[in-house]
């Protein structure tokens, strides 16, 4: 148990930090009429950088291609303080300093011109898709009711699948048994043939031997139905036709 806990802790330490980013847009919006005259329309691209790790990110570089017209608006989503950032237009990158743990930086790019985020680096390392998925999962955890509903749906789906498989198996087996029984000659009036499945692993051997002894009075008919000369041949068959005595009404 202790070894398993230690292994889980080691695995957790080896997971990458929950740091990620997403982008939305460009989308069109109108400036308020009180601020401008005429019909002023603008385009904006929104970028969010998530730090769901336990450390402060002191060196974040957002590399982009294309251009934009106005100064970006860069703010924290929780922390009421100015974000420390710089714009390196020559190398086409935005530099961010000091993103606290469990904080999101929102970046608005106005009037982008073929603008696209190429990649985001944290302390010189690229933020991967897996890191982004971890960050989003921590930033937007699934509500408890949805997790319960999802679990119930999975259980229900598994139950339906199991029931369908069981029904299909029974249907196929019934059809197969019917075809086998319909191919054998009719026996005595007091004997009702049926199919016994004899698994190759030998797990049904004792039961088969017991049934043969119980139905010994019909042994000659059983051997004839199975095209067997003796009971040894019955034991090596996967499906054996046996005979059950009919109850008199």
């Amino acid at each position: 148990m202790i070894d398993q806990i230690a292994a889980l802790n080691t695995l957790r330490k080896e997971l990458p930090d929950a740091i990620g980013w997403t982008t939305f847009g460009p989308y069109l919006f109108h400036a308020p009429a009180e601020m401008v005259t005429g019909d002023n329309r603008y385009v904006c691209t929104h970028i969010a950088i998530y730090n769901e790790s336990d450390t402060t990110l002191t060196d974040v570089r957002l590399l982009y291609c294309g251009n934009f017209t106005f100064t970006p608006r860069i703010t924290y989503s929780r922390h009421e303080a100015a974000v420390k950032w710089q714009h390196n237009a020559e190398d086409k990158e935005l530099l961010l300093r000091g993103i606290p743990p469990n904080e999101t930086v929102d970046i608005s790019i106005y009037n982008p011109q073929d603008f696209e985020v190429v990649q985001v680096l944290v302390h010189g390392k690229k933020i991967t898709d897996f890191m982004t998925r971890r960050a989003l999962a921590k930033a937007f955890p699934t509500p408890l009711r949805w997790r319960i509903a999802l679990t119930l749906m999975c259980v229900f789906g598994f139950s339906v699948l199991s029931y369908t498989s069981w029904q299909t198996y029974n249907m196929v087996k019934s059809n197969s048994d019917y075809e086998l029984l319909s191919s054998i000659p009719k026996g005595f009036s007091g004997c009702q043939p049926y199919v016994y499945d004899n698994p190759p692993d030998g797990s049904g051997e004792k039961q088969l031997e017991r049934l043969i002894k119980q139905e010994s009075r019909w042994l000659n008919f059983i051997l004839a139905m199975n095209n067997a000369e003796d009971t040894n041949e019955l034991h090596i068959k996967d499906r054996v036709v046996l005979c059950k005595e009919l109850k008199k009404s």
Side-chain angles (χ1 to χ4, degrees):
M1 184 66 178
I2 297 177
D3 293 339
Q4 293 177 347
I5 296 176
L8 289 175
N9 289 332
T10 301
L11 179 61
R12 185 183 62 178
K13 292 179 181 179
E14 292 178 352
L15 288 174
D17 289 330
I19 304 170
W21 64 275
T22 57
T23 180
F24 174 73
Y27 57 91
L28 183 67
F29 71 96
H30 293 262
E34 293 82 0
M35 299 177 57
V36 296
T37 58
D39 185 17
N40 289 272
R41 299 186 302 173
Y42 300 91
V43 174
C44 181
T45 292
H46 181 76
I47 307 163
I49 299 177
Y50 305 93
N51 179 19
E52 295 298 327
S53 69
D54 296 328
T55 59
T56 297
L57 308 181
T58 58
D59 180 16
V60 179
R61 299 168 58 202
L62 187 152
L63 310 182
Y64 66 88
C65 61
N67 293 290
F68 48 86
T69 304
F70 302 106
T71 301
R73 183 175 182 270
I74 302 180
T75 60
Y76 289 122
S77 62
R78 301 182 182 89
H79 189 40
E80 295 182 354
V83 180
K84 297 178 181 179
W85 66 278
Q86 295 177 335
H87 179 206
N88 185 347
E90 182 178 357
D91 294 332
K92 293 193 175 183
E93 63 180 8
L94 296 174
L95 309 176
L96 291 82
R97 311 291 185 186
I99 303 178
N102 302 318
E103 183 59 88
T104 301
V105 172
D106 295 313
I107 304 174
S108 296
I109 305 294
Y110 301 103
N111 282 12
Q113 301 166 9
D114 298 324
F115 178 86
E116 182 181 355
V117 177
V118 177
Q119 60 181 333
V120 180
L121 306 178
V122 175
H123 303 150
K125 296 182 179 180
K126 177 183 177 180
I127 295 180
T128 63
D129 292 339
F130 179 65
M131 294 170 65
T132 295
R133 287 196 294 269
R134 288 199 66 214
L136 292 176
K138 295 186 68 175
F140 306 102
T142 304
L144 178 60
R145 61 178 181 274
W146 285 110
R147 284 183 287 181
I148 295 176
L150 181 60
T151 302
L152 293 177
M153 288 178 63
C154 291
V155 173
F156 176 75
F158 178 76
S159 300
V160 170
L161 181 62
S162 300
Y163 177 77
T164 303
S165 301
W166 178 72
Q167 287 289 84
T168 302
Y169 169 78
N170 284 340
M171 185 180 300
V172 173
K173 185 179 185 304
S174 297
N175 292 337
S176 179
D177 290 351
Y178 175 79
E179 291 179 0
L180 178 59
L181 294 175
S182 62
S183 65
I184 63 177
K186 299 299 181 181
F188 304 102
S189 59
C191 176
Q192 177 63 45
Y194 68 95
V195 177
Y196 175 79
D197 291 325
N198 185 30
D201 59 4
S203 58
E205 286 293 323
K206 291 184 178 180
Q207 179 66 13
L208 177 59
E209 183 67 29
R210 177 182 175 86
L211 292 173
I212 292 175
K213 290 181 179 180
Q214 290 177 346
E215 301 163 7
S216 59
R217 60 182 299 189
W218 310 106
L219 182 58
N220 291 334
F221 184 50
I222 292 174
L223 294 175
M225 288 190 297
N226 291 276
N227 294 320
E229 295 183 358
D230 53 38
T231 57
N232 292 331
E233 292 187 22
L234 298 180
H235 286 279
I236 62 175
K237 291 180 176 291
D238 293 335
R239 306 176 74 226
V240 182
V241 179
L242 298 177
C243 197
K244 182 184 299 183
E245 182 176 1
L246 292 177
K247 295 182 179 179
K248 297 182 180 180
S249 57

